[in-house]
Amino acid sequence: RGHIIADLSFYHIAYILTKHHFAVTEITRDYGYDLLAHSFSPSGEPEAGHIYVQLKATEAVKIGKRNKLVSFSAEIRDLILWSEQPTPVYLVIFCAKNKNCYWVDVQIYLRSHGVDPRDLRAKGRHYLTIHLPSVPIDGSHIDSWRARKNSMMQRLREIAK
């Protein structure tokens, strides 16, 4: 059943992204990412840059009773890769039971928690528990992904001048 849930997770998030001005490409060899998404404006014009998404699918998520967060154990090697990308990287947990996706912007999460994955690796750590909000993904979240990507691309253009 694991491969079925993985497929469901891809098609679920791809549908949501496509509805909100992204064209989605599946990455078939998993080297830390499951999909790449390029954005386009509401009028259909392609926009520079892209986002990466790492999907994790599960039968059911456990939401913390006290903190109302979804927990996920991420490999340090992946966190290093994700933290060093010049464009946004999102970790998305798909719950097959309720057909919801929960997400976190990995780069912002690490920065806001003062976490440097390279330091963790130097200390011999192999995993870090990431806590995601238990709010199911919706269109406004995807719109914020596009806005963040466009903001990052604008900063890159300014640096390149």
Side-chain angles (χ1 to χ4, degrees), residues 108-150:
I108 289 175
Y109 181 92
L110 293 173
R111 231 181 358 263
S112 69
H113 287 81
V115 174
D116 183 341
R118 289 193 178 278
D119 289 344
L120 295 176
R121 183 169 66 184
K123 294 175 184 172
R125 298 269 306 270
H126 298 284
Y127 295 92
L128 176 71
T129 301
I130 304 285
H131 301 284
L132 297 79
S134 60
V135 178
I137 200 166
D138 67 23
S140 68
H141 299 133
I142 302 301
D143 294 341
S144 76
W145 294 11
R146 183 172 156 261
R148 176 156 145 64
K149 189 269 309 169
N150 286 340

mmCIF file of all heavy atoms in Angstrom, residues 108-150:
data_model
loop_
_atom_site.group_PDB
_atom_site.id
_atom_site.type_symbol
_atom_site.label_atom_id
_atom_site.label_comp_id
_atom_site.label_asym_id
_atom_site.label_seq_id
_atom_site.Cartn_x
_atom_site.Cartn_y
_atom_site.Cartn_z
ATOM 1 N N ILE A 108 12.973 28.394 6.094
ATOM 2 C CA ILE A 108 12.482 29.306 7.132
ATOM 3 C C ILE A 108 12.427 28.588 8.483
ATOM 4 O O ILE A 108 12.797 29.155 9.509
ATOM 5 C CB ILE A 108 11.108 29.895 6.750
ATOM 6 C CG1 ILE A 108 11.280 30.883 5.591
ATOM 7 C CG2 ILE A 108 10.443 30.567 7.953
ATOM 8 C CD1 ILE A 108 9.986 31.444 5.057
ATOM 9 N N TYR A 109 12.002 27.339 8.483
ATOM 10 C CA TYR A 109 11.937 26.569 9.726
ATOM 11 C C TYR A 109 13.317 26.483 10.380
ATOM 12 O O TYR A 109 13.466 26.765 11.575
ATOM 13 C CB TYR A 109 11.399 25.159 9.456
ATOM 14 C CG TYR A 109 11.279 24.323 10.701
ATOM 15 C CD1 TYR A 109 10.101 24.297 11.432
ATOM 16 C CD2 TYR A 109 12.349 23.552 11.164
ATOM 17 C CE1 TYR A 109 9.981 23.538 12.591
ATOM 18 C CE2 TYR A 109 12.246 22.793 12.318
ATOM 19 C CZ TYR A 109 11.062 22.786 13.022
ATOM 20 O OH TYR A 109 10.954 22.045 14.175
ATOM 21 N N LEU A 110 14.316 26.098 9.603
ATOM 22 C CA LEU A 110 15.665 25.950 10.157
ATOM 23 C C LEU A 110 16.195 27.287 10.675
ATOM 24 O O LEU A 110 16.749 27.361 11.774
ATOM 25 C CB LEU A 110 16.612 25.361 9.107
ATOM 26 C CG LEU A 110 16.316 23.917 8.688
ATOM 27 C CD1 LEU A 110 17.207 23.511 7.521
ATOM 28 C CD2 LEU A 110 16.457 22.959 9.860
ATOM 29 N N ARG A 111 16.013 28.348 9.885
ATOM 30 C CA ARG A 111 16.488 29.674 10.293
ATOM 31 C C ARG A 111 15.793 30.139 11.574
ATOM 32 O O ARG A 111 16.432 30.630 12.498
ATOM 33 C CB ARG A 111 16.252 30.671 9.158
ATOM 34 C CG ARG A 111 17.458 31.477 8.790
ATOM 35 C CD ARG A 111 17.283 32.494 7.688
ATOM 36 N NE ARG A 111 16.026 32.644 7.006
ATOM 37 C CZ ARG A 111 15.742 32.072 5.831
ATOM 38 N NH1 ARG A 111 16.605 31.310 5.223
ATOM 39 N NH2 ARG A 111 14.570 32.273 5.275
ATOM 40 N N SER A 112 14.481 29.985 11.628
ATOM 41 C CA SER A 112 13.727 30.480 12.781
ATOM 42 C C SER A 112 14.020 29.682 14.056
ATOM 43 O O SER A 112 13.810 30.182 15.153
ATOM 44 C CB SER A 112 12.225 30.479 12.487
ATOM 45 O OG SER A 112 11.742 29.159 12.398
ATOM 46 N N HIS A 113 14.509 28.458 13.908
ATOM 47 C CA HIS A 113 14.863 27.639 15.069
ATOM 48 C C HIS A 113 16.370 27.650 15.337
ATOM 49 O O HIS A 113 16.845 26.921 16.216
ATOM 50 C CB HIS A 113 14.365 26.201 14.877
ATOM 51 C CG HIS A 113 12.882 26.077 15.009
ATOM 52 N ND1 HIS A 113 12.009 26.392 13.986
ATOM 53 C CD2 HIS A 113 12.115 25.699 16.053
ATOM 54 C CE1 HIS A 113 10.776 26.198 14.390
ATOM 55 N NE2 HIS A 113 10.802 25.787 15.645
ATOM 56 N N GLY A 114 17.112 28.463 14.584
ATOM 57 C CA GLY A 114 18.555 28.565 14.797
ATOM 58 C C GLY A 114 19.297 27.269 14.538
ATOM 59 O O GLY A 114 20.295 26.985 15.198
ATOM 60 N N VAL A 115 18.818 26.492 13.585
ATOM 61 C CA VAL A 115 19.404 25.182 13.295
ATOM 62 C C VAL A 115 20.268 25.250 12.042
ATOM 63 O O VAL A 115 19.799 25.676 10.981
ATOM 64 C CB VAL A 115 18.304 24.112 13.095
ATOM 65 C CG1 VAL A 115 18.901 22.782 12.661
ATOM 66 C CG2 VAL A 115 17.481 23.954 14.364
ATOM 67 N N ASP A 116 21.529 24.837 12.178
ATOM 68 C CA ASP A 116 22.422 24.668 11.034
ATOM 69 C C ASP A 116 22.664 23.172 10.881
ATOM 70 O O ASP A 116 23.343 22.565 11.723
ATOM 71 C CB ASP A 116 23.741 25.401 11.253
ATOM 72 C CG ASP A 116 24.679 25.301 10.055
ATOM 73 O OD1 ASP A 116 24.496 24.388 9.211
ATOM 74 O OD2 ASP A 116 25.599 26.125 9.956
ATOM 75 N N PRO A 117 22.111 22.559 9.834
ATOM 76 C CA PRO A 117 22.255 21.108 9.674
ATOM 77 C C PRO A 117 23.713 20.632 9.607
ATOM 78 O O PRO A 117 24.021 19.538 10.057
ATOM 79 C CB PRO A 117 21.530 20.810 8.363
ATOM 80 C CG PRO A 117 20.665 21.972 8.105
ATOM 81 C CD PRO A 117 21.290 23.147 8.778
ATOM 82 N N ARG A 118 24.603 21.472 9.092
ATOM 83 C CA ARG A 118 26.018 21.078 9.041
ATOM 84 C C ARG A 118 26.597 20.948 10.445
ATOM 85 O O ARG A 118 27.413 20.066 10.712
ATOM 86 C CB ARG A 118 26.824 22.051 8.204
ATOM 87 C CG ARG A 118 26.502 21.922 6.720
ATOM 88 C CD ARG A 118 27.512 22.666 5.859
ATOM 89 N NE ARG A 118 27.201 22.488 4.459
ATOM 90 C CZ ARG A 118 27.542 21.419 3.741
ATOM 91 N NH1 ARG A 118 28.212 20.444 4.282
ATOM 92 N NH2 ARG A 118 27.211 21.347 2.465
ATOM 93 N N ASP A 119 26.179 21.824 11.360
ATOM 94 C CA ASP A 119 26.613 21.716 12.755
ATOM 95 C C ASP A 119 26.095 20.423 13.388
ATOM 96 O O ASP A 119 26.809 19.762 14.137
ATOM 97 C CB ASP A 119 26.126 22.907 13.579
ATOM 98 C CG ASP A 119 26.837 24.201 13.234
ATOM 99 O OD1 ASP A 119 27.910 24.160 12.583
ATOM 100 O OD2 ASP A 119 26.311 25.268 13.614
ATOM 101 N N LEU A 120 24.848 20.075 13.068
ATOM 102 C CA LEU A 120 24.281 18.837 13.613
ATOM 103 C C LEU A 120 25.054 17.618 13.108
ATOM 104 O O LEU A 120 25.331 16.694 13.875
ATOM 105 C CB LEU A 120 22.798 18.715 13.240
ATOM 106 C CG LEU A 120 21.867 19.768 13.824
ATOM 107 C CD1 LEU A 120 20.454 19.583 13.295
ATOM 108 C CD2 LEU A 120 21.877 19.732 15.339
ATOM 109 N N ARG A 121 25.397 17.634 11.832
ATOM 110 C CA ARG A 121 26.172 16.520 11.277
ATOM 111 C C ARG A 121 27.541 16.439 11.942
ATOM 112 O O ARG A 121 28.019 15.352 12.268
ATOM 113 C CB ARG A 121 26.317 16.632 9.764
ATOM 114 C CG ARG A 121 27.062 15.430 9.174
ATOM 115 C CD ARG A 121 27.003 15.360 7.702
ATOM 116 N NE ARG A 121 27.722 16.485 7.114
ATOM 117 C CZ ARG A 121 27.765 16.711 5.817
ATOM 118 N NH1 ARG A 121 27.130 15.931 4.971
ATOM 119 N NH2 ARG A 121 28.433 17.742 5.345
ATOM 120 N N ALA A 122 28.169 17.598 12.156
ATOM 121 C CA ALA A 122 29.477 17.618 12.817
ATOM 122 C C ALA A 122 29.392 17.046 14.243
ATOM 123 O O ALA A 122 30.378 16.497 14.747
ATOM 124 C CB ALA A 122 30.036 19.042 12.849
ATOM 125 N N LYS A 123 28.240 17.154 14.860
ATOM 126 C CA LYS A 123 28.034 16.611 16.211
ATOM 127 C C LYS A 123 27.599 15.148 16.177
ATOM 128 O O LYS A 123 27.267 14.573 17.219
ATOM 129 C CB LYS A 123 26.989 17.442 16.949
ATOM 130 C CG LYS A 123 27.440 18.863 17.242
ATOM 131 C CD LYS A 123 26.329 19.677 17.862
ATOM 132 C CE LYS A 123 26.782 21.120 18.062
ATOM 133 N NZ LYS A 123 25.693 21.987 18.489
ATOM 134 N N GLY A 124 27.562 14.561 14.969
ATOM 135 C CA GLY A 124 27.212 13.145 14.850
ATOM 136 C C GLY A 124 25.736 12.845 14.740
ATOM 137 O O GLY A 124 25.328 11.687 14.762
ATOM 138 N N ARG A 125 24.915 13.872 14.584
ATOM 139 C CA ARG A 125 23.467 13.659 14.455
ATOM 140 C C ARG A 125 23.134 13.198 13.035
ATOM 141 O O ARG A 125 23.741 13.644 12.069
ATOM 142 C CB ARG A 125 22.703 14.954 14.750
ATOM 143 C CG ARG A 125 22.865 15.502 16.152
ATOM 144 C CD ARG A 125 21.830 15.001 17.135
ATOM 145 N NE ARG A 125 20.463 15.177 16.745
ATOM 146 C CZ ARG A 125 19.725 16.245 17.024
ATOM 147 N NH1 ARG A 125 20.222 17.255 17.694
ATOM 148 N NH2 ARG A 125 18.462 16.289 16.637
ATOM 149 N N HIS A 126 22.144 12.324 12.930
ATOM 150 C CA HIS A 126 21.703 11.833 11.625
ATOM 151 C C HIS A 126 20.274 12.253 11.294
ATOM 152 O O HIS A 126 19.874 12.216 10.136
ATOM 153 C CB HIS A 126 21.814 10.309 11.567
ATOM 154 C CG HIS A 126 23.212 9.824 11.737
ATOM 155 N ND1 HIS A 126 24.153 9.908 10.743
ATOM 156 C CD2 HIS A 126 23.841 9.292 12.816
ATOM 157 C CE1 HIS A 126 25.297 9.424 11.184
ATOM 158 N NE2 HIS A 126 25.142 9.054 12.437
ATOM 159 N N TYR A 127 19.509 12.658 12.322
ATOM 160 C CA TYR A 127 18.111 13.038 12.141
ATOM 161 C C TYR A 127 17.770 14.254 12.992
ATOM 162 O O TYR A 127 18.392 14.490 14.023
ATOM 163 C CB TYR A 127 17.164 11.884 12.546
ATOM 164 C CG TYR A 127 17.292 10.683 11.656
ATOM 165 C CD1 TYR A 127 18.171 9.656 11.968
ATOM 166 C CD2 TYR A 127 16.535 10.573 10.496
ATOM 167 C CE1 TYR A 127 18.310 8.554 11.147
ATOM 168 C CE2 TYR A 127 16.663 9.480 9.663
ATOM 169 C CZ TYR A 127 17.548 8.468 9.995
ATOM 170 O OH TYR A 127 17.681 7.385 9.178
ATOM 171 N N LEU A 128 16.769 14.989 12.542
ATOM 172 C CA LEU A 128 16.206 16.095 13.305
ATOM 173 C C LEU A 128 14.691 16.013 13.176
ATOM 174 O O LEU A 128 14.172 15.853 12.064
ATOM 175 C CB LEU A 128 16.689 17.448 12.769
ATOM 176 C CG LEU A 128 16.070 18.683 13.441
ATOM 177 C CD1 LEU A 128 16.612 18.831 14.861
ATOM 178 C CD2 LEU A 128 16.356 19.940 12.622
ATOM 179 N N THR A 129 13.989 16.125 14.296
ATOM 180 C CA THR A 129 12.530 16.118 14.249
ATOM 181 C C THR A 129 12.041 17.515 13.877
ATOM 182 O O THR A 129 12.370 18.494 14.533
ATOM 183 C CB THR A 129 11.931 15.681 15.593
ATOM 184 O OG1 THR A 129 12.408 14.364 15.891
ATOM 185 C CG2 THR A 129 10.410 15.673 15.529
ATOM 186 N N ILE A 130 11.283 17.560 12.793
ATOM 187 C CA ILE A 130 10.675 18.794 12.301
ATOM 188 C C ILE A 130 9.211 18.784 12.740
ATOM 189 O O ILE A 130 8.538 17.762 12.639
ATOM 190 C CB ILE A 130 10.728 18.855 10.749
ATOM 191 C CG1 ILE A 130 12.154 18.718 10.240
ATOM 192 C CG2 ILE A 130 10.039 20.093 10.215
ATOM 193 C CD1 ILE A 130 12.991 19.933 10.410
ATOM 194 N N HIS A 131 8.725 19.919 13.213
ATOM 195 C CA HIS A 131 7.331 20.026 13.653
ATOM 196 C C HIS A 131 6.578 20.927 12.680
ATOM 197 O O HIS A 131 6.920 22.090 12.516
ATOM 198 C CB HIS A 131 7.259 20.581 15.071
ATOM 199 C CG HIS A 131 7.999 19.735 16.057
ATOM 200 N ND1 HIS A 131 7.510 18.538 16.519
ATOM 201 C CD2 HIS A 131 9.212 19.900 16.645
ATOM 202 C CE1 HIS A 131 8.370 18.008 17.351
ATOM 203 N NE2 HIS A 131 9.413 18.809 17.445
ATOM 204 N N LEU A 132 5.568 20.361 12.048
ATOM 205 C CA LEU A 132 4.768 21.077 11.058
ATOM 206 C C LEU A 132 3.431 21.486 11.667
ATOM 207 O O LEU A 132 2.841 20.714 12.438
ATOM 208 C CB LEU A 132 4.475 20.180 9.854
ATOM 209 C CG LEU A 132 5.628 19.681 9.014
ATOM 210 C CD1 LEU A 132 6.338 18.512 9.646
ATOM 211 C CD2 LEU A 132 5.140 19.312 7.648
ATOM 212 N N PRO A 133 2.929 22.662 11.305
ATOM 213 C CA PRO A 133 1.589 23.047 11.764
ATOM 214 C C PRO A 133 0.554 22.030 11.284
ATOM 215 O O PRO A 133 0.675 21.477 10.190
ATOM 216 C CB PRO A 133 1.354 24.402 11.106
ATOM 217 C CG PRO A 133 2.722 24.901 10.759
ATOM 218 C CD PRO A 133 3.556 23.690 10.486
ATOM 219 N N SER A 134 -0.449 21.777 12.098
ATOM 220 C CA SER A 134 -1.477 20.797 11.734
ATOM 221 C C SER A 134 -2.632 21.427 10.965
ATOM 222 O O SER A 134 -3.752 20.962 11.010
ATOM 223 C CB SER A 134 -1.994 20.089 12.989
ATOM 224 O OG SER A 134 -2.556 21.021 13.883
ATOM 225 N N VAL A 135 -2.309 22.464 10.223
ATOM 226 C CA VAL A 135 -3.301 23.140 9.384
ATOM 227 C C VAL A 135 -3.174 22.577 7.970
ATOM 228 O O VAL A 135 -2.104 22.672 7.360
ATOM 229 C CB VAL A 135 -3.059 24.667 9.362
ATOM 230 C CG1 VAL A 135 -4.046 25.350 8.448
ATOM 231 C CG2 VAL A 135 -3.114 25.231 10.772
ATOM 232 N N PRO A 136 -4.236 21.961 7.446
ATOM 233 C CA PRO A 136 -4.143 21.408 6.086
ATOM 234 C C PRO A 136 -3.833 22.489 5.053
ATOM 235 O O PRO A 136 -4.285 23.628 5.157
ATOM 236 C CB PRO A 136 -5.534 20.814 5.843
ATOM 237 C CG PRO A 136 -6.094 20.583 7.213
ATOM 238 C CD PRO A 136 -5.526 21.685 8.058
ATOM 239 N N ILE A 137 -3.074 22.104 4.063
ATOM 240 C CA ILE A 137 -2.669 23.029 3.008
ATOM 241 C C ILE A 137 -3.889 23.512 2.235
ATOM 242 O O ILE A 137 -4.836 22.759 2.028
ATOM 243 C CB ILE A 137 -1.650 22.340 2.084
ATOM 244 C CG1 ILE A 137 -0.858 23.361 1.298
ATOM 245 C CG2 ILE A 137 -2.298 21.346 1.166
ATOM 246 C CD1 ILE A 137 0.368 22.776 0.632
ATOM 247 N N ASP A 138 -3.865 24.775 1.860
ATOM 248 C CA ASP A 138 -4.937 25.321 1.027
ATOM 249 C C ASP A 138 -4.343 26.302 0.017
ATOM 250 O O ASP A 138 -3.132 26.527 -0.014
ATOM 251 C CB ASP A 138 -6.043 25.955 1.867
ATOM 252 C CG ASP A 138 -5.614 27.209 2.627
ATOM 253 O OD1 ASP A 138 -4.626 27.869 2.227
ATOM 254 O OD2 ASP A 138 -6.273 27.544 3.614
ATOM 255 N N GLY A 139 -5.186 26.868 -0.791
ATOM 256 C CA GLY A 139 -4.734 27.755 -1.859
ATOM 257 C C GLY A 139 -3.952 28.958 -1.387
ATOM 258 O O GLY A 139 -2.998 29.391 -2.038
ATOM 259 N N SER A 140 -4.311 29.511 -0.237
ATOM 260 C CA SER A 140 -3.577 30.681 0.256
ATOM 261 C C SER A 140 -2.133 30.310 0.604
ATOM 262 O O SER A 140 -1.227 31.124 0.435
ATOM 263 C CB SER A 140 -4.285 31.307 1.460
ATOM 264 O OG SER A 140 -4.237 30.450 2.583
ATOM 265 N N HIS A 141 -1.929 29.092 1.070
ATOM 266 C CA HIS A 141 -0.560 28.640 1.351
ATOM 267 C C HIS A 141 0.241 28.561 0.050
ATOM 268 O O HIS A 141 1.389 29.012 -0.016
ATOM 269 C CB HIS A 141 -0.560 27.274 2.041
ATOM 270 C CG HIS A 141 -1.261 27.270 3.353
ATOM 271 N ND1 HIS A 141 -2.165 26.315 3.705
ATOM 272 C CD2 HIS A 141 -1.186 28.126 4.404
ATOM 273 C CE1 HIS A 141 -2.615 26.557 4.923
ATOM 274 N NE2 HIS A 141 -2.052 27.665 5.360
ATOM 275 N N ILE A 142 -0.373 27.990 -0.965
ATOM 276 C CA ILE A 142 0.322 27.854 -2.254
ATOM 277 C C ILE A 142 0.619 29.232 -2.835
ATOM 278 O O ILE A 142 1.700 29.461 -3.392
ATOM 279 C CB ILE A 142 -0.509 27.008 -3.240
ATOM 280 C CG1 ILE A 142 -0.796 25.618 -2.652
ATOM 281 C CG2 ILE A 142 0.187 26.907 -4.588
ATOM 282 C CD1 ILE A 142 0.425 24.801 -2.300
ATOM 283 N N ASP A 143 -0.312 30.170 -2.694
ATOM 284 C CA ASP A 143 -0.055 31.538 -3.148
ATOM 285 C C ASP A 143 1.148 32.133 -2.426
ATOM 286 O O ASP A 143 1.959 32.850 -3.022
ATOM 287 C CB ASP A 143 -1.297 32.416 -2.942
ATOM 288 C CG ASP A 143 -2.464 32.007 -3.822
ATOM 289 O OD1 ASP A 143 -2.254 31.300 -4.834
ATOM 290 O OD2 ASP A 143 -3.608 32.383 -3.483
ATOM 291 N N SER A 144 1.301 31.822 -1.137
ATOM 292 C CA SER A 144 2.457 32.334 -0.386
ATOM 293 C C SER A 144 3.748 31.683 -0.876
ATOM 294 O O SER A 144 4.805 32.311 -0.854
ATOM 295 C CB SER A 144 2.267 32.119 1.115
ATOM 296 O OG SER A 144 2.480 30.779 1.495
ATOM 297 N N TRP A 145 3.684 30.435 -1.326
ATOM 298 C CA TRP A 145 4.870 29.767 -1.879
ATOM 299 C C TRP A 145 5.341 30.513 -3.132
ATOM 300 O O TRP A 145 6.524 30.771 -3.321
ATOM 301 C CB TRP A 145 4.572 28.330 -2.253
ATOM 302 C CG TRP A 145 4.261 27.402 -1.136
ATOM 303 C CD1 TRP A 145 4.015 27.725 0.178
ATOM 304 C CD2 TRP A 145 4.140 25.987 -1.226
ATOM 305 N NE1 TRP A 145 3.741 26.588 0.889
ATOM 306 C CE2 TRP A 145 3.809 25.507 0.057
ATOM 307 C CE3 TRP A 145 4.251 25.087 -2.274
ATOM 308 C CZ2 TRP A 145 3.616 24.161 0.326
ATOM 309 C CZ3 TRP A 145 4.060 23.734 -2.007
ATOM 310 C CH2 TRP A 145 3.750 23.292 -0.719
ATOM 311 N N ARG A 146 4.387 30.841 -3.983
ATOM 312 C CA ARG A 146 4.710 31.554 -5.227
ATOM 313 C C ARG A 146 5.286 32.931 -4.908
ATOM 314 O O ARG A 146 6.286 33.357 -5.494
ATOM 315 C CB ARG A 146 3.463 31.676 -6.096
ATOM 316 C CG ARG A 146 3.702 32.320 -7.424
ATOM 317 C CD ARG A 146 2.448 32.242 -8.319
ATOM 318 N NE ARG A 146 2.536 33.315 -9.270
ATOM 319 C CZ ARG A 146 1.906 34.479 -9.150
ATOM 320 N NH1 ARG A 146 1.084 34.712 -8.150
ATOM 321 N NH2 ARG A 146 2.073 35.409 -10.060
ATOM 322 N N ALA A 147 4.701 33.636 -3.956
ATOM 323 C CA ALA A 147 5.187 34.964 -3.574
ATOM 324 C C ALA A 147 6.609 34.874 -3.014
ATOM 325 O O ALA A 147 7.466 35.705 -3.333
ATOM 326 C CB ALA A 147 4.240 35.601 -2.557
ATOM 327 N N ARG A 148 6.869 33.876 -2.179
ATOM 328 C CA ARG A 148 8.216 33.711 -1.618
ATOM 329 C C ARG A 148 9.221 33.412 -2.719
ATOM 330 O O ARG A 148 10.320 33.970 -2.743
ATOM 331 C CB ARG A 148 8.229 32.604 -0.567
ATOM 332 C CG ARG A 148 9.621 32.321 -0.014
ATOM 333 C CD ARG A 148 9.576 31.696 1.345
ATOM 334 N NE ARG A 148 10.618 30.735 1.614
ATOM 335 C CZ ARG A 148 11.917 30.994 1.661
ATOM 336 N NH1 ARG A 148 12.363 32.208 1.434
ATOM 337 N NH2 ARG A 148 12.779 30.041 1.927
ATOM 338 N N LYS A 149 8.868 32.527 -3.630
ATOM 339 C CA LYS A 149 9.764 32.191 -4.743
ATOM 340 C C LYS A 149 10.046 33.429 -5.575
ATOM 341 O O LYS A 149 11.195 33.721 -5.924
ATOM 342 C CB LYS A 149 9.140 31.071 -5.588
ATOM 343 C CG LYS A 149 10.040 30.471 -6.647
ATOM 344 C CD LYS A 149 9.962 31.123 -7.991
ATOM 345 C CE LYS A 149 8.551 31.284 -8.521
ATOM 346 N NZ LYS A 149 8.543 32.173 -9.712
ATOM 347 N N ASN A 150 9.020 34.209 -5.886
ATOM 348 C CA ASN A 150 9.212 35.418 -6.690
ATOM 349 C C ASN A 150 10.077 36.440 -5.960
ATOM 350 O O ASN A 150 10.906 37.117 -6.573
ATOM 351 C CB ASN A 150 7.861 36.021 -7.086
ATOM 352 C CG ASN A 150 7.170 35.210 -8.163
ATOM 353 O OD1 ASN A 150 7.804 34.424 -8.874
ATOM 354 N ND2 ASN A 150 5.868 35.376 -8.308
#
